[in-house]
Amino acid sequence: MRERQLRARDMLRGDLEGEELERYVEEKVVMTNFEKMLGWARSNSIFPLTFGLACCAIEAPISIVTARYDLARFGAEALRASPRQADMIILSGRVSIKMAPVVRRLYDQMLEPKWAISMGACSSSGGMFSNYAVVQGADKFMPIDLHIPGCPPRPEAVLYGFTKLQRKIQGNPDQGWRARYRAEGSEEWARGGPRSAPSGEAAEAYSAARELLRA
Amino acid sequence: MAEQLVSHRGELVEDRTSEVMTVNIGPHHPATHGVLRLVVDLEGEVVRDLKPVIGYVHTGIEKSCEDKSYWKVIPFVERMDYVSYFFQMEAFCGAVERLIELEIPERAKHLRVIFLELNRIHSHLVWLGTTALDLGAISMLWYCFRERDRILDLFEMATGQRMHTRYFQVGGVIEDIPRGFEQKLRSFIADMPVRVEQYQALLDRNEVFLSRTKNTGIVSRERLLELGVTGPLLRAAGEPWDLRKAFDYLAYPKFDFKIPVGTIGDNYDRYRVRVAEMVESVRIIEQALDGLPEGPFIADDRKYVLPPRSELSTSMESLIHHFKLVTEGYRVGPGEIYYAIESPRGELGCFVLADGSAKPARVHFRDPSFINLQAFKDMSTGSYIADMICSLGMLDPILGGVDR
Amino acid sequence: MPDAPGLELIRGEIEAEHPGAVLDTGFSQERAVLSIDPAHVLAVLSLLRDAPGQGYRFLSSLHAADYLPAEPRFAVHYELLNRDRVERIRVKALLDDPAANGNEKALPEIDSCVEMFPTAEFQEREVFDFFGIVFNGHPDLRRILMPEDYVGWPQRRDFPVGGEPVTFTYNEKNYG
């Protein structure tokens, strides 16, 4: 600590030379590229939209801005009411068929870059309500960046998802189970996806298995 | 502003005597009350007509319930009025218990009352926080939610979930309260009256709050009764009608509590009635906790209630009952019933039509927010739009209940 | 709740003024139930509300139920409450389904009680929205919870619940 103070004093006086100067500069200066800096700035100053649909709305956005689960420590305390001024929408609650066009319009009104978090089971996949009145997943009409499971998810779970979104914005998405089980590239995609059509032997194996199941 | 805009030659350019503008306060708006859409006819700042458009969070819960066995209906109906979830559970379980004529043990009744009153306090705290936020007293939100988090900690301790706990089952409650719950609850109810006084200290002498809520949104008692409004709105207008006292259900006859009643029914009375109800709920919880009897927490009838797990390895009938109850569910004989309780917003009624099978044929909820919303037009016509926002907060609609 | 003799007295009063209105009386779980003919619903409700001995001035709930396959198919329930004596009574108006007789688009009709009980305004709209029961005389009968242009009466028993099946490998169509 004392050594640092002495070095700082020398720096200011212009007394630091050569190798010491190099080391000092390396410690104090961060080299990065513009995208990373932009990602860091954007992720730490998200303006969420005050948008709550149903039960999850009591947990977020109302409960996560309160003192115990403080969203302000992630820089996102400025909740904006107008979609033009917000850059993140948290779909908290079930999206009914009457509300879906409204949500889409709100999402369209937001300016780029924008992110959407689908919070809870109901907006991720229709939740427990598999019926005529609920859209089975907000994926059906708008792009979602992050899904948070739960019914309703705990505020801590929402904040955990929020940190994952921050990593995604910084360009460094968390690989999750792919990293844990060393399973990159082994995902099965139902529709589309980079390896959606298994080829050759894999396709034959799958169709053989399906025939067996049907028989 | 000139009533009629006249050009320098004396010709009428624009007649501004009656310019009614229709404004859509859309389903997404800063007032944190859920997705309520209001089509308001405004003349200047004065509201002339108001039409609520609802259905934006309609989930088809009543239809989904017809497809599920009776105990699976319980998590569905919880999610209707998503702030007072224990009340929906009680309405449904109570209705089914009446249909099958099942008596629940005393300990279960006391536990149910404790959780119901805790949920009433929770609902009023959410109301107070969000309404004060709408009216500009923003810091109330943090204080109210601090207490709310303590209540949710209690719920989590007893049931494992903060919201939508699925705690009440037909026959009683699903689990007994754990050790340590009673101490934590007692410390909470010791603190609560002090906190309520702190809330009142913040708001009661706030000039802006008082001038916004006093003498605004007045609807007469007779008109409220005609409109079917119940709950704190009716009590604020001077009518001492509370289903807890009128129809003795659960263990309420044993407890001594008062019903706060207002005088003129303006928004200030509604605020005072709800805050006083919080204090009364604390008294009820205290009495329920003091008189909590020992005994079973769920009824004994194995045709409707799951046997305790310890018996499953020893008794064959228990295993069979468990199997039947979990796979098919219990059958409720043909009959229909309407059972109403007092939720924080008014009379919450549950209509169950049973046809003898394991799934209900019709489940309908008479939701108080849905009915109370009809009074909103009477509250706001003729007043300023800012008073309309205040009345909306004091009306306390929860759109999950309105739309079901 | 009005007990059995009380219920019979009420029935007698109603029959005295409007013969043929009451089809049946009954008790279900200690609740007195009056099943009436839908043509007389306003008369019965006004008698229950205004007659000096009755005084059921509060309409707690107005809802409908579909009793398919039993006949008559629909019933509109009026839950009335007398707050002075703290008594409830249920009035069931039994409605047939006219679509069963050939005319596909016909909807069951009943008189609206909005003038007597203003609380019924939203509730009758909800019954219309979900069952297709038309209330004659309602000031603004249109859908309240479903989108305005929705086709179908969701809460009827023959309307499917809807939703999507959970996709597994064997029923996912465009897999692979």
Side-chain angles (χ1 to χ4, degrees), chain C residues 149-172:
Chain C
D149 51 356
Y150 196 79
V151 171
W153 311 111
Q155 207 91 49
R156 289 194 181 186
R157 293 284 268 172
D158 46 3
F159 189 87
V161 175
E164 274 183 5
V166 181
T167 48
F168 298 101
T169 317
Y170 71 91
N171 63 358
E172 168 66 62

Side-chain angles (χ1 to χ4, degrees), chain A residues 123-142:
Chain A
S123 49
S124 306
S125 69
M128 62 189 331
F129 302 112
S130 170
N131 57 26
Y132 61 91
V134 169
V135 176
Q136 305 291 306
D139 288 43
K140 299 222 183 279
F141 60 88
M142 64 187 261

Side-chain angles (χ1 to χ4, degrees), chain B residues 174-362:
Chain B
I174 199 168
E175 255 180 12
D176 209 348
I177 49 176
R179 259 183 312 172
F181 184 80
E182 203 177 315
Q183 279 108 293
K184 207 163 173 184
L185 182 57
R186 281 198 196 276
S187 78
F188 173 72
I189 57 183
D191 278 340
M192 196 61 200
V194 174
R195 301 273 190 236
V196 172
E197 275 174 29
Q198 287 177 350
Y199 303 149
Q200 293 194 301
L202 268 178
L203 286 176
D204 266 357
R205 279 191 244 160
N206 183 339
E207 275 289 327
V208 174
F209 185 80
L210 289 178
S211 60
R212 275 190 89 166
T213 51
K214 283 208 167 175
N215 294 321
T216 54
I218 298 183
V219 184
S220 72
R221 206 180 55 122
E222 289 76 24
R223 180 72 186 151
L224 283 177
L225 282 172
E226 273 182 11
L227 287 167
V229 172
T230 49
L233 291 166
L234 186 63
R235 290 198 279 280
E239 175 73 32
W241 174 249
D242 187 329
L243 286 178
R244 292 176 287 176
K245 292 277 198 194
F247 293 93
D248 300 324
Y249 60 96
L250 286 183
Y252 282 110
K254 287 198 220 167
F255 306 130
D256 168 43
F257 59 100
K258 296 200 267 277
I259 302 180
V261 173
T263 44
I264 50 173
D266 61 356
N267 285 330
Y268 184 68
D269 275 352
R270 292 169 192 143
Y271 153 73
R272 292 303 297 262
V273 161
R274 287 203 176 102
V275 170
E277 272 188 13
M278 275 202 262
V279 179
E280 292 299 320
S281 290
V282 170
R283 285 184 57 197
I284 299 178
I285 298 177
E286 198 172 345
Q287 291 171 54
L289 202 54
D290 287 337
L292 187 63
E294 295 297 323
F297 52 87
I298 199 164
D300 242 342
D301 190 348
R302 296 297 155 77
K303 293 263 177 296
Y304 301 105
V305 170
L306 284 177
R309 290 203 77 94
S310 49
E311 271 187 29
L312 288 183
S313 45
T314 51
S315 154
M316 189 59 181
E317 290 96 34
S318 296
L319 199 60
I320 299 179
H321 277 132
H322 184 104
F323 179 75
K324 283 296 285 181
L325 283 174
V326 169
T327 50
E328 187 195 354
Y330 44 84
R331 292 169 185 241
V332 177
E336 49 191 33
I337 185 165
Y338 175 81
Y339 174 65
I341 61 172
E342 178 81 16
S343 91
R345 271 156 272 286
E347 173 178 335
L348 176 69
C350 176
F351 171 73
V352 177
L353 169 68
D355 59 357
S357 74
K359 303 184 178 174
R362 170 99 169 106

Side-chain angles (χ1 to χ4, degrees), chain A residues 50-51 55 58-59 62-63 65-69 81 94 96 98-99 128-129 131-134 151 154-155, chain B residues 27-28 30 35 54-56 58-61 63-64 76 79 82 142 145 148-149 153 156 161-164:
Chain A
T50 59
F51 184 66
C55 352
I58 311 289
E59 296 282 42
I62 303 186
S63 191
V65 301
T66 54
R68 194 190 275 197
Y69 314 101
R94 42 207 190 235
S96 75
K98 206 167 173 182
M99 191 65 188
M128 62 189 331
F129 302 112
N131 57 26
Y132 61 91
V134 169
C151 191
R154 287 190 61 108
Chain B
H28 166 254
V35 284
I54 55 182
Y56 288 96
H58 171 67
T59 331
I61 293 183
K63 181 80 185 181
S64 294
F76 271 83
R79 284 153 169 86
Y82 39 79
W142 275 263
F145 274 66
R148 179 193 172 243
D149 266 322
D153 281 345
E156 197 185 359
Q161 266 266 71
R162 283 158 57 101
M163 295 173 66
H164 302 326

